[in-house]
Amino acid sequence: MYSATRNFGDGAVTKLSPYISRGVISTRQVFEYIMSTETPWQEAEKLIQELAWRDYWQQVWIAKGEEINTDLKNPQNPISNHQIPSAIVNASTGINAIDAAIKELYKSGYLHNHMRMYIASICCNVANSHWLEPARWMYAHLLDGDTASNQLSWQWVAGAFSKKKYYANQENINHFFGSSQKNTFLDIDYANFNKLKTPKILCETIPLIMDLCLPKMEYPPLLEDKTSLIYNYYNLDPAWHKDKKMQRILLLEPSKFKRHHVSQKCMNFALELSKNISNIKLFVGEFEDLLRHISPDKIIYKEHPLNINYKGLEEPREWISSVTGYFPSFFSFWKRCRSELMQ
């Protein structure tokens, strides 16, 4: 069912990604659950492969660091601006399925994976916006926002992390999202995309503007200089050392959210998830501020590319397989993963 329908707007998707992205569950846990159902490999493989994609993007981020915010393999070309088409931000492209999906994104924080590719293609390959700013806009509104999968998927669509650009025409959108619209700027044959001029509706562009209010600490939590687990936006695992008596701190660093904008909806979602962690204390400030209260030798945190400024004992994250490191393509990574997972 998943493999056959996942690309359709009303297809069978798990909607587990927000919980994976926030570190509540891991790709390994999902894989083990799939295996426990005794679903035949050929029926489960596509879903398992999608889990592996998440780990692949993360491994690229670990290897490349801040370079994932640049064109990694090829320069995007052509580029007319480094902003976002205002018609995308305002959900006014005139393509009904696209506009409805953007409104749903603002409302719920959900955006179908196929629709993400459509929007990226419009921004990068029709409006000729450089991929980074619209990618940051999309990440900011996604409950499952993951910097690696978001940035690198946008690069893939724009041809900066792939050999060719991704295009979708109106016929494709109609087919997968149950519409029958005609006469839009995407109502063309694929062969004509390389001759398509940017439609007027996409010519006006704007920068990313977000208004996030981090929780205020009128009365900062009483932090003790004892063994402490540091949680953050990417690690809200309620099972992490669950049976051990440790101080548990949710660290929200303002500097991180200035570089990686998120909407108020996404922040509120993360804060609600943190309530599943018993006796967690909220600390809004930089990691250096935390060190005024707790010595590094009493701090434990999980590995993540955004935690490079942390000090203390770093613990590994849980991956779907033991395959790590940089691979130039997903399928070279997947070949190794698949061989291990099928054993």
Side-chain angles (χ1 to χ4, degrees):
M1 178 67 76
Y2 176 84
S3 178
T5 67
R6 61 178 294 272
N7 285 332
F8 290 86
D10 58 356
V13 294
T14 68
K15 295 195 177 179
L16 290 175
S17 56
Y19 305 98
I20 298 174
S21 294
R22 300 287 71 79
V24 176
I25 56 177
S26 68
T27 52
R28 183 70 194 183
Q29 287 174 299
V30 179
F31 168 73
E32 289 177 348
Y33 175 78
I34 294 169
M35 291 295 95
S36 74
T37 65
E38 299 184 352
T39 302
W41 176 266
Q42 62 268 25
E43 294 180 21
E45 182 171 3
K46 187 58 181 176
L47 177 55
I48 295 168
Q49 187 182 80
E50 291 304 312
L51 294 171
W53 266 106
R54 301 183 68 88
D55 281 12
Y56 172 67
W57 294 135
Q58 285 289 315
Q59 290 297 325
V60 174
W61 192 9
I62 290 170
K64 298 297 184 179
E66 283 297 312
E67 289 183 51
I68 69 164
N69 293 313
T70 65
D71 296 358
L72 269 181
K73 291 186 177 180
N74 310 296
Q76 180 185 336
N77 183 54
I79 296 171
S80 65
N81 67 87
H82 287 78
Q83 295 190 328
I84 317 161
S86 59
I88 290 290
V89 176
N90 298 328
S92 59
T93 66
I95 299 176
N96 298 336
I98 299 287
D99 295 340
I102 294 170
K103 291 174 183 176
E104 180 61 29
L105 171 64
Y106 292 151
K107 178 182 176 183
S108 68
Y110 172 76
L111 190 62
H112 190 278
N113 189 60
H114 215 165
M115 187 58 70
R116 299 180 197 199
M117 296 167 64
Y118 294 156
I119 293 172
S121 182
I122 290 171
C123 290
C124 302
N125 304 333
V126 180
N128 295 327
S129 297
H130 185 264
W131 62 266
L132 182 57
E133 193 77 344
R136 292 172 68 235
W137 160 81
M138 183 177 285
Y139 168 86
H141 292 285
L142 289 168
L143 288 188
D144 69 354
D146 176 288
T147 298
S149 62
N150 188 70
Q151 254 68 333
L152 294 166
S153 294
W154 274 77
Q155 289 203 46
W156 184 87
V157 168
F161 196 73
S162 58
K163 294 181 180 179
K164 61 180 181 179
K165 299 183 178 188
Y166 170 83
Y167 291 98
N169 65 10
Q170 187 66 54
E171 182 181 13
N172 185 295
I173 295 170
N174 289 346
H175 174 69
F176 286 104
F177 284 82
S179 56
S180 56
Q181 195 173 6
K182 301 281 188 183
N183 301 317
T184 70
F185 60 81
L186 289 181
D187 196 12
I188 60 175
D189 292 331
Y190 282 101
N192 294 326
F193 269 106
N194 60 356
K195 297 180 287 185
L196 180 65
K197 294 183 178 179
T198 301
K200 287 185 179 180
I201 191 69
L202 299 179
C203 288
E204 181 183 338
T205 62
I206 56 177
L208 174 64
I209 300 174
M210 297 298 298
D211 186 18
L212 172 67
C213 291
L214 289 172
K216 296 188 183 300
M217 293 195 306
E218 294 183 21
Y219 303 100
L222 296 175
L223 301 180
E224 301 176 61
D225 190 22
K226 66 179 185 179
T227 303
S228 302
L229 298 175
I230 307 304
Y231 299 78
N232 53 40
Y233 191 67
Y234 278 95
N235 173 26
L236 295 170
D237 180 2
W240 189 32
H241 294 298
K242 185 176 182 180
D243 298 325
K244 295 181 180 179
K245 292 185 178 180
M246 297 179 178
Q247 182 170 235
R248 299 171 191 273
I249 300 167
L250 172 57
L251 175 64
L252 300 179
E253 295 181 275
S255 63
K256 298 280 175 69
F257 293 103
K258 285 182 180 179
R259 295 200 305 272
H260 303 270
H261 296 284
V262 301
S263 70
Q264 198 66 53
K265 180 183 292 295
C266 292
M267 177 55 63
N268 292 344
F269 176 71
L271 291 172
E272 282 297 311
L273 290 176
S274 74
K275 293 178 181 179
N276 294 315
I277 302 167
S278 180
N279 299 316
I280 194 164
K281 298 177 180 180
L282 175 64
F283 188 87
V284 181
E286 301 304 318
F287 187 84
E288 291 297 319
D289 300 328
L290 192 65
L291 292 181
R292 299 193 184 104
H293 303 271
I294 309 167
S295 58
D297 61 350
K298 294 181 179 178
I299 287 176
I300 303 173
Y301 63 93
K302 284 191 181 184
E303 176 277 324
H304 191 276
L306 288 182
N307 299 346
I308 58 173
N309 61 314
Y310 284 17
K311 297 175 182 177
L313 175 62
E314 180 183 83
E315 293 189 348
R317 284 183 280 169
E318 188 174 55
W319 305 96
I320 195 171
S321 73
S322 65
V323 182
T324 57
Y326 177 74
F327 289 76
S329 72
F330 169 73
F331 288 101
S332 58
F333 175 80
W334 172 241
K335 183 178 179 181
R336 291 272 301 276
C337 284
R338 186 178 188 273
S339 177
E340 177 182 320
L341 296 174
M342 289 187 71
Q343 291 179 2

